[in-house]
Structures are given as C-alpha cells and as structure tokens.
Amino acid sequence: MRYAKRGPLRFTSHRDFARAFERALRRAGVPIAFSQGFNPHPKISYASAAPTGVASEAEYLEVGLREPVDPEQLRMALDTALSPGLDVLDAVEAAGGSLADRIEASRWRIELPEVDPDVLRRAVDAFTAAEEIQVERMTKQGRRTFDARAAVISIDLLSPSETPSGATAVPCAILEVVVRQVTPSVRPDDVLSGLRVVADLEPPVAPKVIRLEQGTLTAQGEIVDPLDADRDGAAIGGR
C-alpha cells in the first residue's frame, strides 16, 4: 500500500502511525494474518518511513492477510478508518519479492522560507561541485560522520514561479532533491547540513520538507512507483 502523511499529521511519529494503522485494521474488519509463536503480532512491514515532521506523498507498507480481499475496497476502508491527513492512496496484491528491495531512491521537496533563491543557488552550486561533504548526525549507534554528497543524485533549485505549500508573502526558495537509498540513510536535513558546510547556508526558519516519490531508480534518474510491478494483481491475499 501507499499512504500519505499530510498537514499537521506529518508530526505523527512512525510508532504512533503504526499504532493508528493497527487500530484502523481492526475497525475496518480486515482479515489480517498474525505471526506464530508465544507473542503473535500482525504481519505488517514498513518500507523506509519518513522522519517525524516530514510530510510525504509516498510512504509504503505491506500486510499479510488470511484471505483475499478487493484492493480498492480495502484501501477505502482503511482510509476511512484513519484520521484525515493519514491517507491510504493505493493498494495492490503483492506478486512476490520484497517491497523494501524496490526502494532505491526518494525525491524530496524542501521549502525554505525567507531564503533568497540567489543565495541558495550559490550554495547548490558549491554542493554540486564538491566531491565529498562530511556531516554529523546522532544515530542509534551514537554520533556518526558520513558523506552527504555521494547519495545525492540530483539537487535542483525550482523556478520562482513554483508556489510553495502554505505560501505566505515572504520569499521562499525551493529545492528538489533526489537521494539514493544508502546506509546510513541520507535525509533532507543532512542535505541542508551539507549546504551549511559548503556555503554557510543557515535558513532563518525551519524548512518544510515533503517526500514526493520513492521507488526504483531508472538509468535516466526517474523514480518508478514500487507498486507498479504488481498492477496486474486482482486481489490482495495472504501467502
């Protein structure tokens, strides 16, 4: 399934979403399959969830069911059971293979209010010209230093005619970034840290970040929806 995190619901943590989704499954009467063993749990697997505070139009998960159901009916039932802003957009039968293996890259939109586009353009030029940009981030394993440049496939400044979401009267520079899935993952805030390293770019207010796509990366740099390979399925069912 593909779902979105929109508006204030972008501040929902992954753990909170997982709890809300399990409640939605129960309310919708979905015949969810459970694991075996002493402590059975629903068969739900999430693929590359966006960080808390980041909006997304392309979050993915897969569920195991005890019996076949109609994909569109399932999508509508779960969408109705979830709060507005947590929206189930698509559902297909899994034809085989791992969903996580189809997530190779993500496309992000980063809106930077009160940042002059010319200043951002110079920072992007410096970022692009660099062979390596070391940044730091706290991870579960402690503070780590890693290269934020190598994972960035493209970084583009959108034209001033592009309207930012929730637009106000202040200037707003907008980036679109395609980032390859690597370990440790390179996130939009790491890209901004990289811009700070190479050009001392310090946004005066918090950016708004939206994940637009994630999926398989083509040789042309396009991202293919990971559900496309399963479009011929007519029903969703346990395997």
Side-chain angles (χ1 to χ4, degrees), residues 8 16 19 41 63 65 89-90 121 170 173 178 185 193 201 210 217:
D16 287 341
R19 285 196 290 260
H41 57 273
V63 298
L65 304 181
L89 306 177
D90 200 0
R121 187 180 303 281
V170 300
V178 177
S185 61
S193 294
L201 181 70
I210 306 168
L217 187 67

Side-chain angles (χ1 to χ4, degrees), residues 24-89:
L25 288 168
R26 291 194 295 269
R27 285 197 295 270
V30 176
I32 186 74
F34 284 79
S35 63
Q36 303 297 314
F38 180 74
N39 185 26
H41 57 273
K43 288 189 175 181
I44 308 171
S45 177
Y46 297 91
S48 187
T52 303
V54 171
S56 179
E57 293 296 313
E59 299 298 287
Y60 291 90
L61 59 83
E62 51 189 341
V63 298
L65 304 181
R66 300 190 309 273
E67 60 190 55
V69 300
D70 178 82
E72 180 58 15
Q73 290 182 2
L74 175 62
R75 185 201 68 77
M76 290 190 296
L78 290 172
D79 190 49
T80 300
L82 287 165
S83 299
L86 296 176
D87 304 315
V88 183
L89 306 177

Side-chain angles (χ1 to χ4, degrees), residues 22-221:
E22 289 185 26
R23 289 196 297 269
L25 288 168
R26 291 194 295 269
R27 285 197 295 270
V30 176
I32 186 74
F34 284 79
S35 63
Q36 303 297 314
F38 180 74
N39 185 26
H41 57 273
K43 288 189 175 181
I44 308 171
S45 177
Y46 297 91
S48 187
T52 303
V54 171
S56 179
E57 293 296 313
E59 299 298 287
Y60 291 90
L61 59 83
E62 51 189 341
V63 298
L65 304 181
R66 300 190 309 273
E67 60 190 55
V69 300
D70 178 82
E72 180 58 15
Q73 290 182 2
L74 175 62
R75 185 201 68 77
M76 290 190 296
L78 290 172
D79 190 49
T80 300
L82 287 165
S83 299
L86 296 176
D87 304 315
V88 183
L89 306 177
D90 200 0
V92 297
E93 179 183 5
S98 168
L99 179 61
D101 289 343
R102 302 179 193 176
I103 306 295
E104 296 178 345
S106 294
R107 186 183 309 276
W108 304 86
R109 178 185 174 106
I110 306 173
E111 299 175 1
L112 299 163
E114 301 183 32
V115 171
D116 186 314
D118 289 335
V119 172
L120 182 58
R121 187 180 303 281
R122 289 192 291 271
V124 167
D125 288 344
F127 187 101
T128 303
E131 293 185 1
E132 181 180 273
I133 302 173
Q134 294 292 318
V135 300
E136 287 189 347
R137 174 164 34 98
M138 183 62 72
T139 70
K140 293 178 180 179
Q141 291 75 37
R143 184 166 295 279
R144 293 192 62 179
T145 300
F146 55 93
D147 179 15
R149 176 64 186 91
V152 176
I153 298 167
S154 65
I155 177 167
D156 299 302
L157 184 65
L158 298 189
S159 79
S161 62
E162 296 281 352
T163 302
S165 56
T168 64
V170 300
C172 182
I174 306 172
L175 280 177
E176 191 169 283
V177 185
V178 177
V179 181
R180 191 184 303 276
Q181 191 84 357
V182 295
T183 302
S185 61
V186 173
R187 308 183 310 197
D189 55 322
D190 300 319
V191 175
L192 293 176
S193 294
L195 292 171
R196 186 182 307 116
V197 168
V198 297
D200 293 324
L201 181 70
E202 290 282 359
V205 297
K208 182 173 181 180
V209 180
I210 306 168
R211 174 145 57 191
L212 303 175
E213 299 176 288
Q214 61 173 328
T216 304
L217 187 67
T218 70
Q220 293 74 36

